[in-house]
Amino acid sequence: MPHESARDAPPAAPEPTSDVPDIPPETHLGRRDFLLAAGLGIAAGSLVPAPPPAGIREAKASPPSPSGATSRTSVRSRHARDENPHDAWIEVNSDAIRANAREVSRMAEGRSIVAVVKNNGYGLGTVAVARALDALPEVATLGVVKVDEAFELLEAGVTTPILLMGLAPPDAEEELARRGVRLTPYTDDAPDRLSRLARALDRPVPVHLYIDSGMGRLGMPDHRALPWLEELTASRAVAVEGTMTELAETEYDDEQLRRFHAFAAAAREAGFPLGRLHAAASHALFFRPGSLLSAVRPGLALFGAFPAGARALGMAELRPAHRLRARIIRVERLRPGDAVSYGRNWIAERPVWVAVVAAGHADGYPRRAVDGCRVLVGERSYPVIGAVSASHTVLEIGDEPSVSLGDVATLVGPDDPAIHPNTISERAEISVYDVLMHLGGHLPKVVSD
Ligand SMILES: *Cc1c(COP(=O)(O)O)cnc(C)c1O
C-alpha cells in the first residue's frame, strides 16, 4: 500500500495570522493536572509548571448541563472532580465575536444587525455567543429558529430583543410573546392565532412578517401576502416591526429582491407599515450589495467564517471566534509496515512518530478532514492520517517525537491558516457551516469575556 502521506507537505513553519488573544489551555486543565488525572504515570517533576492564566479577564465554563445553558462556574474548581481529561473542549472568544459584529456593521454601512445565533450558536453555545453580542449597539435583535433557544436566551437574561424565526406551539407562543419575543408569522392561520394571542395579552403582538420571495422554504408566498396581511392587521392583532425574506443564494436573488420590493411597495401603498426590511445573510453581505435594505441578518460571519468563495475577496477581516481543542493522549513510534486506524489505509513506510488527539467526528471534527487537513500542536501543524474516528484523530509527527503526552492540540481555530474553518471546509470538501454547526453540543466551553 502506498505511503499516503507522500502528498502532504512537511510540517509547515508557524504562520501566525491572528491577533485573537490566546486562551491558555491551563485555564481548562494544566498539562501536569492532565497527566496526573489521566494516570499516565509520568513523573510530575519532569514537567514544567503551568504558567498562570494570562490575557483573559475571566474564564467561564459551561458544564454540559441538560439545558445546555452556560454557567459561571470556575473552570479550575471543577475540572479535577468531574472533567475527564480525555475530553475535547471548545474555547469561545467573545472579543472576536464583537469585532466581527463591528466588521459586519461596517460592511452594512451602519445598518442594524439581526444577529443569528441559532443551532447552539453555530456550535459555540447559544448563550455564550448571545452574551458576547448583548448590549452591542450594532446588534438590534438576536435571531433563533427553535423555541427552546428563545427560552434559553430569556432564562440567561439577555436584554437584546429576540426574534423567533420559526413556529411555536400555541402555548409556547403565548408565553414567548408575553416575555417579549418577536414572532415571525407566515401561515394561513396566523390572523386567527395572533388575534387570539393579542386578546390574551391585551395588546398587539410585535412581529416580523416572514415573506417567501422564491426560496420555497418558510414564509407567506409574496403573491398571497397582501390579502393575508389585510386580514392580519384588521383586528389589530399585530404591531409590525419588521418584514423579512430569505435569499436562496443563486442568480435568482435579484429576482427575489424584486418580488420582495414589489410586495413591500403594494403593502405600503395600501397603508400597511412593514417596519424594517431585512433579507441579507452572510452570503449577501459579500455578493448582493443591493440586498442590505434596512437591516442585515448574518450568522456565520459573526463567528469569523466566510461563506464559500468570500474569503479571497478581501472585503472583510473576520476572525474565527472559537477553538476546538483536545489533548494528545498517545505518542508512539511506528515501524515500517505498521498501520493507522480503521481501514488500515495509512501504512508507515519508515520509522515514524504518530500522536493521537482525543477528539473526533462525534465532537464535530469532520470525518473527511483526513484528506489533507492538519492539526496545530504548539507552533507546528501536523497532517491528519488514517481515519478520523468518533473520538480520536491521529497525526503524523515525523522523525522526531516533537510533541508530548498531554500537549494541547488545536483542531480548528484562528491561530494558523491550516486550521482556519474555511481551510478545513475547502480541504475536507464540506460546507463551512458544518465545521461550526456540527461541533458537539456536549463539549465543555471555556468562554473569555
Ligand atoms: C441561518 C439564517 C440566517 C443566517 O445565515 P448565515 O448564512 O449564517 O449568515 C439568516 N436568516 C435566516 C432566516 C436563517 O435561518
Side-chain angles (χ1 to χ4, degrees):
M1 190 150 236
H3 189 297
E4 287 235 338
S5 75
R7 66 174 186 272
D8 290 314
E15 297 175 73
T17 54
S18 168
D19 51 351
V20 179
D22 194 51
I23 302 170
E26 289 73 21
T27 61
H28 179 74
L29 183 66
R31 184 159 166 262
R32 174 200 292 269
D33 298 337
F34 167 81
L35 293 169
L36 294 173
L40 291 172
I42 302 291
S46 69
L47 296 172
V48 181
I56 60 167
R57 277 161 276 165
E58 187 192 355
K60 300 190 290 270
S62 149
S65 62
S67 69
T70 49
S71 89
R72 291 183 179 258
T73 319
S74 147
V75 186
R76 282 193 165 274
S77 68
R78 53 180 289 278
H79 68 69
R81 269 176 290 115
D82 56 7
E83 203 172 275
N84 181 340
H86 289 184
D87 284 348
W89 70 96
I90 299 175
E91 293 171 2
V92 179
N93 187 322
S94 304
D95 271 342
I97 295 174
R98 286 189 283 265
N100 293 333
R102 283 189 286 272
E103 188 66 353
V104 163
S105 170
R106 183 192 63 73
M107 295 178 82
E109 293 165 347
R111 291 167 176 87
S112 68
I113 300 174
V114 178
V116 179
V117 299
K118 66 186 179 191
N119 300 333
N120 193 27
Y122 284 61
L124 280 63
T126 311
V127 172
V129 302
R131 284 210 178 114
L133 294 162
D134 202 17
L136 270 196
E138 290 86 355
V139 174
T141 308
L142 295 170
V144 293
V145 172
K146 299 214 162 94
V147 174
D148 285 353
E149 291 170 336
F151 281 119
E152 213 181 323
L153 294 180
L154 289 171
E155 302 309 325
V158 161
T159 58
T160 307
I162 300 161
L163 180 68
L164 177 67
M165 304 188 296
L167 285 185
D171 55 335
E173 200 165 65
E174 178 170 342
E175 190 186 343
L176 289 168
R178 207 178 278 286
R179 296 174 73 178
V181 173
R182 274 61 170 174
L183 306 176
T184 52
Y186 63 83
T187 56
D188 286 303
D189 69 354
D192 273 354
R193 265 171 97 136
L194 289 175
S195 53
R196 249 179 285 127
L197 186 50
R199 277 198 302 277
L201 300 185
D202 200 23
R203 60 179 165 82
V205 182
V207 298
H208 290 223
L209 306 173
Y210 203 154
I211 305 298
D212 177 6
S213 58
M215 175 159 161
R217 194 173 63 175
L218 298 190
M220 173 55 63
D222 60 317
H223 56 89
R224 299 204 290 121
L226 200 53
W228 172 78
L229 179 54
E230 269 173 41
E231 232 192 301
L232 199 56
T233 46
S235 54
R236 299 191 180 282
V238 294
V240 180
E241 291 185 350
T243 300
M244 63 184 277
T245 194
E246 268 181 292
L247 303 174
E249 305 176 0
T250 71
E251 292 79 72
Y252 196 74
D253 285 1
D254 289 337
E255 180 59 16
Q256 280 196 258
L257 287 163
R258 195 198 58 71
R259 287 168 59 171
F260 189 51
H261 281 302
F263 160 73
R268 284 178 177 143
E269 177 94 343
F272 301 116
L274 295 180
R276 280 177 299 155
L277 301 187
H278 46 102
S282 301
H283 177 271
L285 284 173
F286 291 89
F287 298 104
R288 303 285 181 265
S291 73
L292 305 184
L293 309 181
S294 46
V296 295
R297 207 179 57 236
L300 187 72
L302 299 172
F303 310 113
F306 292 83
R311 191 178 172 201
L313 300 176
M315 289 171 65
E317 283 190 35
L318 302 175
R319 300 181 293 174
H322 81 285
R323 295 185 176 90
L324 172 62
R325 288 188 140 168
R327 299 275 176 182
I328 287 185
I329 56 165
R330 184 173 184 235
V331 181
E332 184 63 40
R333 189 168 191 247
L334 301 187
R335 302 160 305 173
D338 285 347
V340 166
S341 203
Y342 292 116
R344 290 175 56 89
N345 59 6
W346 192 93
I347 308 281
E349 285 191 337
R350 60 193 161 88
V352 63
W353 288 91
V354 299
V356 178
V357 178
H361 63 77
D363 301 304
Y365 191 61
R367 251 177 208 281
R368 295 173 64 167
V370 73
D371 291 321
C373 290
R374 306 178 75 89
V375 169
L376 193 68
V377 187
E379 305 262 274
R380 291 168 62 183
S381 71
Y382 300 92
V384 175
I385 56 171
V388 175
S389 56
S391 314
H392 302 114
T393 298
V394 187
L395 309 180
E396 180 185 4
I397 302 302
D399 296 337
E400 300 297 328
S402 52
V403 303
S404 306
L405 215 51
D407 280 356
V408 172
T410 311
L411 296 94
V412 184
D415 314 278
D416 188 295
I419 58 166
H420 189 287
N422 286 98
T423 307
I424 293 169
S425 140
E426 287 155 21
R427 293 194 183 166
E429 297 179 351
I430 60 169
S431 161
V432 68
Y433 289 85
D434 295 354
V435 179
L436 279 82
M437 284 192 191
H438 290 183
L439 288 168
H442 63 283
L443 293 171
K445 294 178 188 72
V446 180
V447 183
S448 69
D449 269 345

